[in-house]
Amino acid sequence: MSHLIDTMAYTGQTPWHQLGHALPKKQSINVWAEAAGMQWKIQETPVRYMATGDADALYGEALEFPEQKVLYRSDTNAALSVVSQRYKVVQPQEVLEFYRDLSEVAGFELETAGVLKAGRRFWALARTGKSACLKGNDVVHSYLLLATSCDGTLATMAIPTSVRVVCNNTLAIALQGAGLGLGVIKVPHSTSFDAQAVKRQLGIAVGQWDSFMYRMKTLAERKVKTHEAMNYFLKVICQTDQVGEGGGSGVQGLANERALKKVQTLFEGHGRGAELQAAKDTAWGLLSAVTEFVDHEKQARSQDNRLDSAWFGQGAAFKQRALEHALQLVA
């Protein structure tokens, strides 16, 4: 089976997705670039085509299509994508360099970095040094994920992220509409990536993390009854609030039914950390069951497909929906 992950490095414990090469702690940006396979550059060249004027002609005139360009890897010359001339490239090394001053001055520590989809997408994840503890020693760490693509599928995104230690569940701190003013910072490829401007916009500050964890603590205090738990999972998994109680049929309906049963099982004591005081029969436990399902249990073609989905795709949207519905329980 071909994998989405091209190369990856990590430090500390093996990541939840079980992928990558181990590095000792406190490595330089240059060491990370080499170990994570991010030392190459994205090159560009005009789109060219052979105009024969005759379908049977063997030779023709080489012409350029000035509105678009081909992006390719400097190390292998492998083509990555065809994009508009206005497309602003972000280099793999720039993603790592984003963390240089954060590591040297602000105490951030890179934990994983790597390349997905043969170079079309790449990321780095760093622990910020902030942590919080819910009831029963349920510890959550603060992280910052920076990711981008060079094929138009992903803007450059800075994503404040939390990781629940007991199960390594990831949850983006993106509470749009929750009154916290937090969220993902997106820089479209139509504009140049300004790392310092992104950091100012993020406002990497205690207030952001504290506000998020205050909400998570309210979830841990909110006890839920059996019917509330079922209603929550129906809304999150089966989206009954959008399609009605009878929504979903065929293959999708069956997949939803399997997911529903699995998430219920995780919540009812079989999930990682499900018996901790903060999670047992609480709204935090509901949310944790869904994030564990997405990160560890949801069907995926491979672990790297699971990683891609959990951070950037359907899985990320799934977890965001779970967070929003959980917060409604304490509104």
Side-chain angles (χ1 to χ4, degrees):
M1 177 183 294
S2 61
H3 287 284
L4 292 177
I5 284 193
D6 189 23
T7 48
M8 176 180 156
Y10 67 88
T11 187
Q13 293 184 339
T14 304
W16 56 268
H17 40 75
Q18 304 292 309
L19 303 168
H21 305 288
L23 273 180
K25 288 182 177 292
K26 307 291 187 182
Q27 297 301 300
S28 69
I29 295 296
N30 291 338
V31 169
W32 271 100
E34 182 175 358
M38 298 171 73
Q39 71 275 47
W40 51 276
K41 292 184 177 180
I42 299 171
Q43 306 280 32
E44 54 187 67
T45 186
V47 171
R48 295 183 175 87
Y49 64 98
M50 190 67 69
T52 64
D54 184 341
D56 296 323
L58 295 177
Y59 302 101
E61 182 182 4
L63 300 175
E64 289 187 2
F65 184 59
E67 284 80 10
Q68 293 191 303
K69 58 189 176 184
V70 177
L71 304 182
Y72 65 96
R73 292 181 61 138
S74 62
D75 55 346
T76 65
N77 292 330
L80 296 168
S81 63
V82 177
V83 296
S84 162
Q85 285 286 355
R86 298 185 301 276
Y87 194 93
K88 306 295 185 183
V89 167
V90 177
Q91 299 290 351
Q93 187 91 16
E94 286 184 85
V95 170
L96 289 171
E97 285 291 341
F98 181 83
Y99 293 98
R100 185 182 290 275
D101 58 340
L102 295 176
S103 299
E104 295 173 351
V105 177
F108 281 47
E109 186 174 351
L110 279 168
E111 284 203 359
T112 71
V115 178
L116 286 163
K117 299 185 177 181
R120 293 174 180 84
R121 190 172 289 182
F122 34 92
W123 88 94
L125 177 73
R127 185 172 167 184
T128 69
K130 297 181 177 64
S131 297
C133 185
L134 305 180
K135 296 187 300 183
N137 200 33
D138 200 344
V139 178
V140 182
H141 293 320
S142 166
Y143 285 78
L144 181 64
L145 172 67
L146 185 69
T148 191
S149 73
C150 60
D151 61 357
T153 60
L154 191 73
T156 303
M157 303 198 306
I159 309 174
T161 299
S162 65
V163 175
R164 188 182 181 213
V165 174
V166 69
C167 51
N168 278 331
N169 292 349
T170 58
L171 181 64
I173 306 175
L175 306 187
Q176 295 93 338
L180 296 182
L182 308 181
V184 176
I185 306 301
K186 294 184 180 180
V187 181
H189 288 283
S190 57
T191 60
S192 296
F193 176 65
D194 183 336
Q196 295 307 317
V198 169
K199 291 171 192 175
R200 288 194 297 272
Q201 192 175 354
L202 274 169
I204 301 170
V206 174
Q208 200 180 68
W209 172 250
D210 288 348
S211 297
F212 174 76
M213 285 311 305
Y214 171 78
R215 292 298 184 93
M216 299 306 101
K217 288 175 181 177
T218 63
L219 294 182
E221 296 290 342
R222 171 63 159 89
K223 289 290 185 179
V224 294
K225 297 183 172 70
T226 302
H227 75 276
E228 289 180 310
M230 175 55 75
N231 287 337
Y232 173 82
F233 291 137
L234 284 171
K235 288 178 181 178
V236 174
I237 306 295
C238 303
Q239 301 186 58
T240 55
D241 57 328
Q242 297 180 27
V243 299
E245 292 296 327
S249 62
V251 174
Q252 184 60 43
L254 182 60
N256 286 343
E257 184 179 350
R258 288 172 178 163
L260 184 64
K261 289 180 179 178
K262 185 62 181 181
V263 173
Q264 283 180 290
T265 300
L266 294 174
F267 175 69
E268 291 168 358
H270 295 278
R272 300 168 176 88
E275 293 296 311
L276 291 177
Q277 187 180 0
K280 187 171 178 60
D281 299 325
T282 69
W284 169 250
L286 294 176
L287 175 61
S288 297
V290 175
T291 55
E292 180 176 354
F293 171 74
V294 172
D295 285 353
H296 302 285
E297 306 292 343
K298 192 173 184 291
Q299 288 186 344
R301 292 192 300 272
S302 65
Q303 285 289 64
D304 38 1
N305 273 277
R306 189 189 305 280
L307 167 66
D308 189 56
S309 173
W311 279 358
F312 312 116
Q314 186 184 50
F318 206 62
K319 289 190 283 188
Q320 183 62 28
R321 189 165 70 246
L323 174 59
E324 290 167 358
H325 281 294
L327 289 172
Q328 289 175 14
L329 291 171
V330 294

